[in-house]
Amino acid sequence: MTTPPGELAVIDALRPGPEAGVYRDEVVSVRAWRGPRPRRQLGTIRTRHFDVHREGHHVHLVHCLRAEQIDDDLSGLLAEELFQPGWLRGPDLFERLFTGVVVSSAPDPEQAWAAFYRNTLRHVEQALERPGSTAAGHGTVAEYAPVYRFVEQQLARGSVLEVGCCFGFLSLRLAATGRDVTASDLSAGTVTLLSAAASRLKVPLTTRAADATRLPWADETADNVLLIHLLEHIEPSLGDRAVAEAIRVARRRVVIAVPLEDEPDETWGHVRTVSLDDLAAWGEASGHPHRVVEHHGGWLVIDTDR
């Protein structure tokens, strides 16, 4: 199953569904089971947590997850049960189904996303307290929890700008410690979602939609600029520009992290691989002191210290 061709409407993660517990857009419809799980219908793909079938280009998914069970490990569930086996394909479809499962898990979208954020941030703390625990769900949170810890250990003093923040869990963690933090992402919808979550969680966080290759901030605006698992989502021809922009805006330090993959993982929207040699080349080109480290992926830390 693949997504239909042509221009698709932007995902609105906070748009109410046609009824409580239902998400629907032009590509997918998602709802939660109410009551016992029914018998599998003809033509339906059934996994432990999902039933999926297609009507034309439209994908219908029904799930058995409740709001208290949903955190960012939902990514792992969708990947393991539907995308890695090849039943479904494409990052856009993945994102729409992810959104649909979250939104359909509670009576209204804001309530659903608030639970999602609280559950995930709690799960991150648990993963850091018990590294390697088998209670870490489907690994998504457990995999990036040590990445967050390593970021925190690399920071210079002062303010933080995270570029390509996605859901913004790292920015929320840093802001909750009292740092002056700005979180940015290319997706305006993602930024709106994060801003609403920060407000509900009462975390003082500045958000702004921004293109990593053309940052709308002046030189030396933030003490630390973070590009954490961003560059693998950017075409190689634009990677140099994103790194250069981060260096331009950073007063003290740039911290870059990437997964080390043999092939780009399409499920997560990766369009390129980044090697330790690539990171070293960016560091050399910066003209600043830098170091390349391997720790749950590859790292480049550049000390700009203006």
Side-chain angles (χ1 to χ4, degrees):
M1 293 184 182
T2 57
T3 53
E7 291 296 322
L8 299 174
V10 174
I11 298 170
D12 184 355
L14 293 172
R15 182 181 66 186
E19 57 186 280
V22 175
Y23 171 88
R24 185 172 297 139
D25 64 22
E26 61 183 310
V27 179
V28 307
S29 64
V30 182
R31 63 180 176 87
W33 274 298
R34 298 291 181 258
R37 192 171 184 178
R39 294 180 62 183
R40 184 174 69 87
Q41 297 179 356
L42 186 66
T44 296
I45 299 161
R46 170 160 286 187
T47 69
R48 181 180 177 186
H49 296 92
F50 309 110
D51 273 11
V52 180
H53 72 278
R54 179 184 289 282
E55 292 180 3
H57 286 306
H58 207 82
V59 175
H60 298 265
L61 181 145
V62 187
H63 67 89
C64 59
L65 299 166
R66 302 183 304 277
E68 61 269 23
Q69 296 176 294
I70 293 181
D71 58 24
D72 203 41
D73 267 351
L74 173 59
S75 298
L77 283 180
L78 288 169
E80 289 177 17
E81 295 188 21
L82 297 177
F83 284 79
Q84 290 172 359
W87 300 119
L88 300 173
R89 290 190 60 193
D92 180 78
L93 182 58
F94 186 96
E95 185 176 353
R96 290 175 188 276
L97 291 175
F98 186 103
T99 299
V101 173
V102 175
V103 170
S104 65
S105 68
D108 70 82
E110 288 200 14
Q111 180 182 343
W113 285 110
F116 167 79
Y117 271 93
R118 289 192 183 97
N119 293 343
T120 301
L121 291 170
R122 182 175 63 252
H123 194 165
V124 170
E125 292 302 323
Q126 292 170 347
L128 289 171
E129 290 169 3
R130 303 193 302 273
S133 169
T134 57
H138 284 255
T140 311
V141 174
E143 287 173 5
Y144 63 64
V147 172
Y148 288 178
R149 174 60 53 81
F150 199 68
V151 172
E152 294 161 6
Q153 294 169 348
Q154 306 312 306
L155 293 177
R157 68 183 185 279
S159 60
V160 176
L161 167 62
E162 184 181 8
V163 180
C165 66
C166 192
F167 285 119
F169 304 125
L170 175 58
S171 286
L172 286 168
R173 281 176 53 82
L174 295 174
T177 68
R179 283 198 186 248
D180 177 7
V181 180
T182 298
S184 71
D185 196 271
L186 181 63
S187 167
T190 297
V191 170
T192 299
L193 183 64
L194 174 57
S195 180
S199 178
R200 275 185 171 258
L201 295 170
K202 295 181 171 53
V203 175
L205 177 68
T206 301
T207 59
R208 183 171 181 178
D211 183 342
T213 65
R214 294 191 298 274
L215 294 178
W217 289 280
D219 297 357
E220 304 178 41
T221 294
D223 293 300
N224 299 272
V225 177
L226 310 180
L227 275 63
I228 308 302
H229 286 213
L230 169 66
L231 293 173
E232 65 272 18
H233 296 272
I234 299 177
E235 293 292 343
S237 60
L238 298 177
D240 292 354
R241 287 172 56 181
V243 174
E245 280 290 272
I247 293 169
R248 177 183 67 80
V249 173
R251 265 193 302 269
R252 293 192 171 94
R253 185 162 293 169
V254 174
V255 181
I256 296 170
V258 297
L260 297 176
E261 302 174 308
D262 295 326
E263 297 290 338
D265 192 331
E266 179 191 61
T267 300
W268 310 114
H270 298 177
V271 298
R272 65 169 297 181
T273 59
V274 182
S275 67
L276 295 177
D277 288 341
D278 294 324
L279 295 173
W282 279 319
E284 288 294 330
S286 75
H288 295 285
H290 63 279
R291 58 190 181 277
V292 174
V293 180
E294 184 173 352
H295 178 79
H296 294 274
W299 296 80
L300 170 61
V301 181
I302 303 173
D303 289 319
T304 55
D305 272 326
R306 305 306 208 283

